[in-house]
Amino acid sequence: MTLTWEQVVIDCGDFAALGHWWADALGWEIIGEDDDDMEIRNPSGAGPTLLFLNVPEKKSMKNRLHLDFVPDDQNAEVERLLALGATRADVGQNDESWVVLADPEGNEFCILSAR
């Protein structure tokens, strides 16, 4: 059996707003948008896409799955994402080397230290 990782699906309340936010945050391109969903991908075509779908319920607890990103400059990237509308999130990380942020709908993601 062969599996190919196609996409990560993100449930949200406003798929268009959140999809555009993530496209701006990542510098990715929108490859599909209609009345039901939006899909974005890395302009290089590498890796899975992100697909945003509306769901009726709101997020109610810490994500069980989240995205991690490695920047060239952690502090600069955190400040850039905060300026775009991300917020700092506390998931019990204490004094770790990564920074936990949340997108405009509260989905947590991490900005790791530069490698």
Side-chain angles (χ1 to χ4, degrees), residues 13 16 18-19 31-32 39-40 43-44 46 59 75 80 84 100 110 114:
L18 196 60
I31 60 170
E39 188 172 13
I40 67 172
S44 72
K59 181 178 178 297
N75 290 332
R80 185 185 73 82
L84 285 175
V100 182
C110 294

PDB file of all heavy atoms in Angstrom, residues 13 16 18-19 31-32 39-40 43-44 46 59 75 80 84 100 110 114:
ATOM      1  N   GLY A  13     -14.840  28.596  11.356  1.00  0.00           N
ATOM      2  CA  GLY A  13     -16.130  29.265  11.275  1.00  0.00           C
ATOM      3  C   GLY A  13     -16.273  30.108  10.024  1.00  0.00           C
ATOM      4  O   GLY A  13     -17.368  30.330   9.539  1.00  0.00           O
ATOM      5  N   ALA A  16     -13.110  31.398   4.373  1.00  0.00           N
ATOM      6  CA  ALA A  16     -12.488  32.378   3.481  1.00  0.00           C
ATOM      7  C   ALA A  16     -11.555  33.303   4.260  1.00  0.00           C
ATOM      8  O   ALA A  16     -10.407  33.530   3.858  1.00  0.00           O
ATOM      9  CB  ALA A  16     -13.540  33.179   2.734  1.00  0.00           C
ATOM     10  N   LEU A  18     -10.133  32.798   7.237  1.00  0.00           N
ATOM     11  CA  LEU A  18      -9.003  32.080   7.806  1.00  0.00           C
ATOM     12  C   LEU A  18      -8.050  31.602   6.709  1.00  0.00           C
ATOM     13  O   LEU A  18      -6.829  31.668   6.860  1.00  0.00           O
ATOM     14  CB  LEU A  18      -9.468  30.904   8.669  1.00  0.00           C
ATOM     15  CG  LEU A  18      -8.395  30.344   9.602  1.00  0.00           C
ATOM     16  CD1 LEU A  18      -7.902  31.408  10.584  1.00  0.00           C
ATOM     17  CD2 LEU A  18      -8.927  29.135  10.345  1.00  0.00           C
ATOM     18  N   GLY A  19      -8.597  31.151   5.601  1.00  0.00           N
ATOM     19  CA  GLY A  19      -7.747  30.721   4.491  1.00  0.00           C
ATOM     20  C   GLY A  19      -6.900  31.854   3.948  1.00  0.00           C
ATOM     21  O   GLY A  19      -5.702  31.681   3.687  1.00  0.00           O
ATOM     22  N   ILE A  31      -5.210  27.977  -4.355  1.00  0.00           N
ATOM     23  CA  ILE A  31      -5.371  27.144  -5.549  1.00  0.00           C
ATOM     24  C   ILE A  31      -6.823  26.736  -5.776  1.00  0.00           C
ATOM     25  O   ILE A  31      -7.138  26.150  -6.806  1.00  0.00           O
ATOM     26  CB  ILE A  31      -4.455  25.906  -5.514  1.00  0.00           C
ATOM     27  CG1 ILE A  31      -4.751  25.023  -4.305  1.00  0.00           C
ATOM     28  CG2 ILE A  31      -3.002  26.341  -5.549  1.00  0.00           C
ATOM     29  CD1 ILE A  31      -4.049  23.679  -4.351  1.00  0.00           C
ATOM     30  N   GLY A  32      -7.690  27.051  -4.846  1.00  0.00           N
ATOM     31  CA  GLY A  32      -9.104  26.757  -5.007  1.00  0.00           C
ATOM     32  C   GLY A  32      -9.922  27.472  -3.970  1.00  0.00           C
ATOM     33  O   GLY A  32      -9.562  27.477  -2.793  1.00  0.00           O
ATOM     34  N   GLU A  39      -8.516  26.223  -0.575  1.00  0.00           N
ATOM     35  CA  GLU A  39      -7.297  25.424  -0.477  1.00  0.00           C
ATOM     36  C   GLU A  39      -6.106  26.296  -0.858  1.00  0.00           C
ATOM     37  O   GLU A  39      -6.148  27.032  -1.839  1.00  0.00           O
ATOM     38  CB  GLU A  39      -7.384  24.215  -1.405  1.00  0.00           C
ATOM     39  CG  GLU A  39      -6.269  23.228  -1.228  1.00  0.00           C
ATOM     40  CD  GLU A  39      -6.491  21.941  -2.018  1.00  0.00           C
ATOM     41  OE1 GLU A  39      -7.385  21.902  -2.889  1.00  0.00           O
ATOM     42  OE2 GLU A  39      -5.758  20.981  -1.755  1.00  0.00           O
ATOM     43  N   ILE A  40      -5.035  26.190  -0.049  1.00  0.00           N
ATOM     44  CA  ILE A  40      -3.811  26.937  -0.327  1.00  0.00           C
ATOM     45  C   ILE A  40      -2.635  25.973  -0.367  1.00  0.00           C
ATOM     46  O   ILE A  40      -2.697  24.880   0.202  1.00  0.00           O
ATOM     47  CB  ILE A  40      -3.565  28.064   0.701  1.00  0.00           C
ATOM     48  CG1 ILE A  40      -3.272  27.513   2.098  1.00  0.00           C
ATOM     49  CG2 ILE A  40      -4.746  29.035   0.737  1.00  0.00           C
ATOM     50  CD1 ILE A  40      -2.839  28.562   3.123  1.00  0.00           C
ATOM     51  N   PRO A  43       3.938  27.887  -2.913  1.00  0.00           N
ATOM     52  CA  PRO A  43       4.111  28.191  -4.331  1.00  0.00           C
ATOM     53  C   PRO A  43       5.053  27.236  -5.054  1.00  0.00           C
ATOM     54  O   PRO A  43       4.953  27.061  -6.266  1.00  0.00           O
ATOM     55  CB  PRO A  43       4.683  29.608  -4.343  1.00  0.00           C
ATOM     56  CG  PRO A  43       4.369  30.176  -3.020  1.00  0.00           C
ATOM     57  CD  PRO A  43       4.269  29.028  -2.066  1.00  0.00           C
ATOM     58  N   SER A  44       5.953  26.583  -4.325  1.00  0.00           N
ATOM     59  CA  SER A  44       6.865  25.618  -4.950  1.00  0.00           C
ATOM     60  C   SER A  44       6.146  24.326  -5.313  1.00  0.00           C
ATOM     61  O   SER A  44       6.676  23.504  -6.049  1.00  0.00           O
ATOM     62  CB  SER A  44       8.022  25.293  -4.003  1.00  0.00           C
ATOM     63  OG  SER A  44       7.578  24.484  -2.926  1.00  0.00           O
ATOM     64  N   ALA A  46       5.598  22.019  -3.205  1.00  0.00           N
ATOM     65  CA  ALA A  46       6.082  20.990  -2.285  1.00  0.00           C
ATOM     66  C   ALA A  46       5.156  20.857  -1.079  1.00  0.00           C
ATOM     67  O   ALA A  46       4.594  21.838  -0.605  1.00  0.00           O
ATOM     68  CB  ALA A  46       7.489  21.337  -1.802  1.00  0.00           C
ATOM     69  N   LYS A  59     -14.301  26.172  18.160  1.00  0.00           N
ATOM     70  CA  LYS A  59     -13.193  25.498  18.828  1.00  0.00           C
ATOM     71  C   LYS A  59     -13.410  25.621  20.336  1.00  0.00           C
ATOM     72  O   LYS A  59     -13.744  26.690  20.828  1.00  0.00           O
ATOM     73  CB  LYS A  59     -11.874  26.155  18.416  1.00  0.00           C
ATOM     74  CG  LYS A  59     -10.656  25.520  19.028  1.00  0.00           C
ATOM     75  CD  LYS A  59      -9.410  26.215  18.512  1.00  0.00           C
ATOM     76  CE  LYS A  59      -8.176  25.664  19.128  1.00  0.00           C
ATOM     77  NZ  LYS A  59      -8.066  25.843  20.561  1.00  0.00           N
ATOM     78  N   ASN A  75      12.139  35.772  16.589  1.00  0.00           N
ATOM     79  CA  ASN A  75      11.527  36.993  17.118  1.00  0.00           C
ATOM     80  C   ASN A  75      10.863  37.813  16.025  1.00  0.00           C
ATOM     81  O   ASN A  75       9.741  38.296  16.205  1.00  0.00           O
ATOM     82  CB  ASN A  75      12.562  37.846  17.859  1.00  0.00           C
ATOM     83  CG  ASN A  75      13.005  37.207  19.156  1.00  0.00           C
ATOM     84  OD1 ASN A  75      12.266  36.450  19.781  1.00  0.00           O
ATOM     85  ND2 ASN A  75      14.220  37.503  19.564  1.00  0.00           N
ATOM     86  N   ARG A  80       5.911  39.567  13.235  1.00  0.00           N
ATOM     87  CA  ARG A  80       5.188  39.696  11.962  1.00  0.00           C
ATOM     88  C   ARG A  80       3.813  39.031  12.044  1.00  0.00           C
ATOM     89  O   ARG A  80       2.801  39.607  11.627  1.00  0.00           O
ATOM     90  CB  ARG A  80       6.011  39.073  10.828  1.00  0.00           C
ATOM     91  CG  ARG A  80       5.382  39.261   9.438  1.00  0.00           C
ATOM     92  CD  ARG A  80       6.183  38.524   8.376  1.00  0.00           C
ATOM     93  NE  ARG A  80       6.005  37.090   8.442  1.00  0.00           N
ATOM     94  CZ  ARG A  80       4.974  36.430   7.905  1.00  0.00           C
ATOM     95  NH1 ARG A  80       4.004  37.090   7.275  1.00  0.00           N
ATOM     96  NH2 ARG A  80       4.897  35.120   8.001  1.00  0.00           N
ATOM     97  N   LEU A  84      -0.108  40.510  11.938  1.00  0.00           N
ATOM     98  CA  LEU A  84      -1.135  40.027  11.007  1.00  0.00           C
ATOM     99  C   LEU A  84      -2.428  39.628  11.719  1.00  0.00           C
ATOM    100  O   LEU A  84      -3.440  39.390  11.074  1.00  0.00           O
ATOM    101  CB  LEU A  84      -0.619  38.821  10.213  1.00  0.00           C
ATOM    102  CG  LEU A  84       0.376  39.092   9.103  1.00  0.00           C
ATOM    103  CD1 LEU A  84       0.868  37.782   8.499  1.00  0.00           C
ATOM    104  CD2 LEU A  84      -0.258  39.964   8.025  1.00  0.00           C
ATOM    105  N   VAL A 100       4.245  29.712  21.206  1.00  0.00           N
ATOM    106  CA  VAL A 100       2.934  29.232  20.781  1.00  0.00           C
ATOM    107  C   VAL A 100       2.069  30.436  20.455  1.00  0.00           C
ATOM    108  O   VAL A 100       1.904  31.351  21.273  1.00  0.00           O
ATOM    109  CB  VAL A 100       2.261  28.362  21.872  1.00  0.00           C
ATOM    110  CG1 VAL A 100       0.923  27.833  21.366  1.00  0.00           C
ATOM    111  CG2 VAL A 100       3.177  27.215  22.282  1.00  0.00           C
ATOM    112  N   CYS A 110       3.078  26.609  16.442  1.00  0.00           N
ATOM    113  CA  CYS A 110       4.337  26.952  17.105  1.00  0.00           C
ATOM    114  C   CYS A 110       5.337  27.544  16.141  1.00  0.00           C
ATOM    115  O   CYS A 110       5.478  27.078  15.003  1.00  0.00           O
ATOM    116  CB  CYS A 110       4.947  25.714  17.751  1.00  0.00           C
ATOM    117  SG  CYS A 110       3.963  25.044  19.108  1.00  0.00           S
ATOM    118  N   ALA A 114      15.153  29.225  15.380  1.00  0.00           N
ATOM    119  CA  ALA A 114      15.860  29.053  14.115  1.00  0.00           C
ATOM    120  C   ALA A 114      16.835  27.891  14.259  1.00  0.00           C
ATOM    121  O   ALA A 114      17.408  27.693  15.322  1.00  0.00           O
ATOM    122  CB  ALA A 114      16.565  30.338  13.728  1.00  0.00           C
TER     123      ALA A 114
END
